[in-house]
Amino acid sequence: MINYLWAGFFLVAFLMAIFASTVQGDTEIWSRMMSTLFSSSQRGFEICLALTGVLTFWLGLMKVGEAGGVVAKFSKLINPLFSRLFPSIPAGHPAQGSILMNVSANMLGLDNAATPMGLKAMKELQELNPKKDTASDAMIMFLVLNTSGLTIIPISIMMYRAQYHAANPSDVFIPILLATSCATLAGLILCCLKQKIKIWDPVIMGTILGGAGILGGTAYFFSQLPQDKIATYSTLFSNILLFTIIILFLLAGIRKKVPLFSTFVEGAKEGFQTVVTIIPYQIALFVGISLFRDCGALGLIADFFGWLFSSIGWDTAFVEAIPCAILKPLNGGGARAMMLSIYETSGVDSFVGHVAATIQGATDTTMYILAVYFGSVNVSKMRYAAAFGLTADFVGIVAAILVSYIFFA
């Protein structure tokens, strides 16, 4: 699927350029498209380069955690659930701990920590994969849960709203929590049905209900805090938890008499190798998405949806946020830029401003994650990963629009 989608970006950009130059007389579009091609290639490389330091540190730390036995203990703790969701992963395998830490980091909004842990999990899942060029069921389950973007604390979105002087920067907190939960639940159900996993299993259902209780309790706790304390408390909690994990890994290594520095360096070397592997995938996807955005196709799609919903008598107040919904599964930076553009044109506290913020937090950059994660282990056949991931995104985006009408209309 991603092969055709990527080629489609270039084809649409080419056709749009022909239309603009011949019908509208805009001959400058060709130079703008070429400028986008070169600038986005450079930007894609810069993103990978910026990832190198973070990836190097966390993969080195994960190596220390493995040697100290922390990852194995994590794996043992979650084995009752993961043995059902990931039946192909042996009990106690390091992949279980890596998956848990990746999902936990995503839930806390710790993107810089989540990516290295996710790439580490993919490498460990690839070791269990009998067909090295084809995604395994375990890989797809992991990435669909990953791309559905379950986030308890959307720190960055609240910060952007505060920067634009929103009256209540955290008023999107509960709507985002509801929308992203819908996306994750949809992805989980799809994968369970496809992989013939019994979702009504007591352990799975208990985890879902327990997670819902925790999410509800978290939402209630933050809803009771003073407005000026929410972002402070959420950031403090996330950072304390993250630093606690670092100290826990180091103490476990000391207890097991692990040579900490040399073990860290051994794992850190994998960071450079991983970045080199993902650079081509990152640049290819980034260029295609940038061309699709800058050729004007997104504007036409938004206009089409505006006409469609108005023709059937539906409210069209959310239509201006549709480009955010289209870009979010493709390019997080583009979706964020579109959200900020809406803040500037329509206002941060406008209805469409709330819709854009809720969409931004409802799901993750599915196609980017699939390209980078599968690319890091040289998997070229993704099977149904993209279809299920995008379906979960669609559910999350629809939920974001609906809850925005409930909370902000």
Side-chain angles (χ1 to χ4, degrees):
M1 180 177 180
I2 194 171
N3 294 321
Y4 297 109
L5 182 65
W6 180 69
F9 291 147
F10 286 88
L11 180 60
V12 169
F14 179 70
L15 294 176
M16 289 291 294
I18 292 177
F19 175 80
S21 60
T22 57
V23 177
Q24 300 177 335
D26 182 13
T27 56
E28 293 297 318
I29 191 171
W30 294 104
S31 61
R32 293 200 300 272
M33 289 294 97
M34 291 305 298
S35 176
T36 295
L37 191 152
F38 289 114
S39 62
S40 58
S41 298
Q42 179 179 350
R43 179 59 179 156
F45 177 77
E46 290 172 351
I47 290 174
C48 290
L49 194 62
L51 180 63
T52 304
V54 176
L55 195 61
T56 297
F57 174 78
W58 281 104
L59 289 184
L61 188 67
M62 287 291 289
K63 196 72 173 180
V64 173
E66 287 181 13
V70 178
V71 175
K73 290 182 179 179
F74 274 133
S75 300
K76 185 177 181 180
L77 179 67
I78 60 172
N79 184 63
L81 174 64
F82 277 22
S83 62
R84 291 162 172 81
L85 294 181
F86 302 93
S88 62
I89 302 179
H93 193 276
Q96 293 184 338
S98 299
I99 292 173
L100 175 65
M101 295 181 69
N102 169 265
V103 172
S104 300
N106 275 325
M107 291 174 68
L108 294 170
L110 305 173
D111 296 335
N112 288 339
T115 300
M117 295 172 184
L119 294 174
K120 179 72 171 176
M122 285 297 288
K123 181 179 178 181
E124 291 161 347
L125 290 173
Q126 180 69 331
E127 294 173 357
L128 302 171
N129 187 9
K131 296 181 179 180
K132 300 302 182 184
D133 65 337
T134 304
S136 65
D137 284 349
M139 287 179 173
I140 295 174
M141 173 67 82
F142 167 54
L143 286 184
V144 170
L145 293 178
N146 190 301
T147 61
S148 63
L150 179 61
T151 303
I152 297 178
I153 308 174
I155 298 172
S156 61
I157 295 174
M158 292 191 293
M159 290 177 61
Y160 281 120
R161 287 180 52 75
Q163 289 174 7
Y164 277 80
H165 308 292
N168 185 355
S170 62
D171 60 3
V172 295
F173 173 74
I174 294 178
I176 287 176
L177 187 61
L178 294 173
T180 189
S181 298
C182 289
T184 300
L185 185 60
L188 176 62
I189 292 174
L190 284 172
C191 286
C192 285
L193 292 175
K194 177 67 175 179
Q195 299 178 13
K196 295 181 172 57
I197 296 172
K198 297 178 180 179
I199 197 169
W200 298 112
D201 181 276
V203 174
I204 297 178
M205 284 305 300
T207 302
I208 293 175
L209 295 176
I214 294 173
L215 290 175
T218 303
Y220 177 78
F221 170 76
F222 279 99
S223 67
Q224 300 303 306
L225 289 176
Q227 176 56 43
D228 58 343
K229 297 294 184 182
I230 292 179
T232 301
Y233 275 49
S234 61
T235 303
L236 179 65
F237 173 73
S238 299
N239 290 336
I240 289 175
L241 180 60
L242 188 60
F243 207 82
T244 300
I245 292 174
I246 294 174
I247 298 300
L248 179 65
F249 277 25
L250 294 176
L251 291 177
I254 293 173
R255 180 174 176 273
K256 286 287 188 73
K257 298 182 180 180
V258 174
L260 297 180
F261 188 76
S262 59
T263 303
F264 174 87
V265 171
E266 181 185 351
K269 291 178 181 178
E270 299 176 8
F272 290 96
Q273 298 168 358
T274 302
V275 169
V276 170
T277 303
I278 67 176
I279 284 175
Y281 298 89
Q282 164 73 9
I283 292 177
L285 197 62
F286 201 84
V287 171
I289 292 170
S290 298
L291 288 172
F292 182 76
R293 178 193 62 206
D294 294 344
C295 72
L298 279 175
L300 289 178
I301 293 174
D303 292 342
F304 168 76
F305 278 105
W307 168 83
L308 176 64
F309 288 113
S310 62
S311 65
I312 60 178
W314 286 19
D315 184 80
T316 58
F318 70 94
V319 168
E320 189 181 344
I322 284 182
C324 292
I326 297 171
L327 279 173
K328 181 58 181 178
L330 305 174
N331 184 293
R336 182 170 57 251
M338 190 65 64
M339 178 185 72
L340 298 181
S341 176
I342 289 173
Y343 286 174
E344 293 174 358
T345 57
S346 300
V348 66
D349 285 324
S350 64
F351 173 71
V352 71
H354 282 108
V355 175
T358 308
I359 289 174
Q360 180 74 7
T363 185
D364 214 329
T365 50
T366 294
M367 300 311 296
Y368 167 79
I369 289 173
L370 293 181
V372 170
Y373 279 45
F374 279 130
S376 68
V377 291
N378 295 314
V379 168
S380 58
K381 299 177 182 178
M382 300 184 186
R383 299 169 66 202
Y384 53 89
F388 280 20
L390 291 174
T391 301
D393 290 344
F394 177 76
V395 171
I397 289 167
V398 171
I401 295 172
L402 293 177
V403 298
S404 294
Y405 272 96
I406 295 172
F407 282 83
F408 308 118

